Amino acid sequence: MILIPLLILGLIKQNPGSYGYELLSLMEERHYKYIVNFTKGSFYYNLQKLEEKKYIKRVDKLDNVRETQNYVITELGDKEFERLMHKYGSKTEYINLSFYGAMLFADEYKTEELKKLIETQIEQTKERIFLLEKSIKEDNTVSIYFKKMMENSLSHHLVNVQWFEDLLKNM
């Protein structure tokens, strides 16, 4: 599922006149990586494609001493935003962690190495829990819907930590 165009269009609707780096920073600050994997390169690639398709247009501004390439959504972009909202808003998909794939072959893996993998999962998941809790508590710039989504994600991560810890106990 490629959500990056929807995220970019939505951010431009929320922040008209923003330039690329501002939009990318918002995606990182708001932890959109929990929704979709993206890199700086994939972000700018999608930004360029949206501009080529005339979903967004550049409005150059002089910011202090440098010129920035700021973006606004077009009428065509509004229609694409509506289409993507319906497309992704009406889908339900499985939660798919790569760890699940590795667990399919846990019996074929060395027990001590498997324990290390599970401990890594616990550590990484606890870090995600910390970041989510911090964002939920401190970030007042996100919508109530996104905050509720983060709370839901937090619940999943808490369940996963319990599962990982149970796996370790039963080894």
Side-chain angles (χ1 to χ4, degrees):
M1 177 165 28
I2 305 294
L3 284 169
I4 298 173
L6 174 63
L7 297 178
I8 293 171
L9 290 171
L11 284 172
I12 292 173
K13 282 180 75 71
Q14 289 176 342
N15 306 280
S18 294
Y19 55 96
Y21 182 77
E22 283 179 305
L23 298 168
L24 180 60
S25 292
L26 283 171
M27 287 177 67
E28 290 169 349
E29 287 169 18
R30 293 179 179 177
H31 306 288
Y32 284 8
K33 63 184 169 222
Y34 292 115
I35 302 166
V36 64
N37 287 327
F38 65 90
T39 63
K40 186 177 180 179
S42 64
F43 168 81
Y44 282 108
Y45 171 81
N46 279 278
L47 190 67
Q48 179 184 355
K49 288 294 176 193
L50 289 170
E51 186 178 10
E52 287 173 6
K53 292 178 180 178
K54 302 202 184 318
Y55 295 148
I56 60 175
K57 68 178 178 181
R58 199 180 308 181
V59 287
D60 296 330
K61 290 185 181 177
L62 190 61
D63 180 23
N64 296 332
V65 290
R66 63 186 171 96
E67 192 173 302
T68 59
Q69 297 175 351
N70 302 59
Y71 295 94
V72 293
I73 196 163
T74 64
E75 187 177 327
L76 194 58
D78 272 327
K79 288 178 183 170
E80 179 65 2
F81 174 79
E82 296 294 325
R83 186 188 76 75
L84 293 173
M85 282 292 291
H86 183 269
K87 176 182 178 180
Y88 295 122
S90 60
K91 270 188 180 182
T92 300
E93 297 194 12
Y94 292 105
I95 295 174
N96 185 1
L97 298 175
S98 57
F99 181 73
Y100 293 173
M103 287 304 295
L104 293 172
F105 305 103
D107 291 337
E108 312 303 321
Y109 200 57
K110 296 176 190 159
T111 303
E112 286 307 308
E113 293 301 312
L114 183 60
K115 283 182 182 179
K116 288 179 188 174
L117 291 178
I118 294 169
E119 288 166 353
T120 298
Q121 287 295 323
I122 290 170
E123 182 182 311
Q124 290 175 359
T125 304
K126 284 183 176 180
E127 177 62 23
R128 288 190 179 109
I129 289 168
F130 170 78
L131 292 172
L132 282 166
E133 288 175 336
K134 183 178 178 194
S135 289
I136 290 166
K137 195 180 301 179
E138 297 174 8
D139 191 350
N140 295 320
T141 64
V142 297
S143 73
I144 188 69
Y145 301 107
F146 187 63
K147 195 166 271 204
K148 292 292 181 189
M149 187 190 70
M150 287 192 297
E151 290 170 356
N152 185 50
S153 183
L154 175 63
S155 298
H156 285 282
H157 288 307
L158 290 168
V159 168
N160 278 344
V161 167
Q162 184 62 53
W163 175 52
F164 298 145
E165 289 172 346
D166 287 347
L167 286 173
L168 280 179
K169 284 181 207 169
N170 295 316
M171 293 183 90

